[in-house]
């Protein structure tokens, strides 16, 4: 996606606030309890891909972020704006958390943007009926590189 600085957009404010809220809760649990709250653990990635694919009406593959130092920990089913969404969680050896959300949307396509909610950075875009977001406390441009390298793999087949 092309880098753009996000402007205030009322249709995306609630979505971004929810993503940041989810992220903070999972990050807090990881730091405090040394675990992540997931419906499907990393050992069940194949099952997770099939399950989420059926709910999102598409094939979906959990992106590999190991080149950035993050391993897949699993995923959860969430609801965004009344529609099903897949939430994938990744962690680093330093207990840094990355969240990737793929959600169905009726909103028009929009190129990638980097937004911030407090100490949480969010790289997000919409394409072909889906909204995507990479969320983390890491530096925004680093998060952008993750999204930029994996966005092609996230497109519906």
């Amino acid at each position: 996606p092309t880098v753009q600085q996000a402007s205030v957009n009322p249709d995306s404010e609630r979505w971004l606030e929810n993503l940041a809220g989810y992220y903070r809760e999972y990050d807090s649990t990881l730091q405090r309890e040394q675990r992540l709250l997931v419906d499907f653990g990393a050992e069940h990635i194949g099952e997770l891909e099939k399950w989420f694919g059926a709910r999102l009406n598409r094939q979906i593959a959990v992106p590999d972020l190991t080149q950035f130092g993050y391993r897949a920990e699993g995923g959860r089913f969430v609801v965004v704006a009344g529609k099903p969404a897949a939430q994938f969680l990744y962690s680093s050896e330093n207990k840094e958390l990355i969240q990737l959300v793929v959600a169905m949307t009726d909103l028009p396509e929009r190129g990638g943007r980097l937004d911030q909610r407090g100490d949480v950075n969010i790289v997000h875009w919409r394409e072909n009926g889906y909204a995507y977001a990479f969320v983390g406390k890491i530096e925004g441009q680093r998060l952008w590189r993750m999204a930029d390298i994996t966005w092609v793999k996230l497109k519906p087949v």
Side-chain angles (χ1 to χ4, degrees), residues 60-78:
I60 192 163
V62 176
D64 182 355
L65 300 180
T66 55
Q67 67 180 314
F68 299 104
Y70 292 87
R71 69 182 174 280
E73 295 290 351
R76 291 188 62 94
F77 175 79
V78 295

Side-chain angles (χ1 to χ4, degrees), residues 109-123:
E109 291 192 9
R110 186 178 64 199
R113 297 181 185 202
L114 173 59
D115 227 318
Q116 192 172 32
R117 293 294 183 272
D119 59 348
V120 177
N121 288 309
I122 305 170
V123 174

Side-chain angles (χ1 to χ4, degrees), residues 35-130:
R35 68 185 181 105
L36 285 170
L37 305 171
V38 295
D39 295 328
F40 291 92
E43 66 277 9
H44 301 290
I45 293 292
E47 183 181 352
L48 178 145
E49 290 171 339
K50 289 177 190 171
W51 196 84
F52 281 134
R55 277 136 191 92
L56 295 175
N57 300 322
R58 59 174 284 185
Q59 287 185 332
I60 192 163
V62 176
D64 182 355
L65 300 180
T66 55
Q67 67 180 314
F68 299 104
Y70 292 87
R71 69 182 174 280
E73 295 290 351
R76 291 188 62 94
F77 175 79
V78 295
V79 175
V80 174
K83 297 188 180 300
Q87 177 187 55
F88 304 112
L89 299 167
Y90 298 82
S91 68
S92 71
E93 287 184 17
N94 300 338
K95 304 256 185 287
E96 289 177 327
L97 181 67
I98 297 294
Q99 170 183 270
L100 166 61
V101 176
V102 179
M104 297 175 84
T105 185
D106 295 327
L107 296 173
E109 291 192 9
R110 186 178 64 199
R113 297 181 185 202
L114 173 59
D115 227 318
Q116 192 172 32
R117 293 294 183 272
D119 59 348
V120 177
N121 288 309
I122 305 170
V123 174
H124 57 102
W125 69 97
R126 293 188 300 257
E127 186 173 28
N128 296 327
Y130 293 91

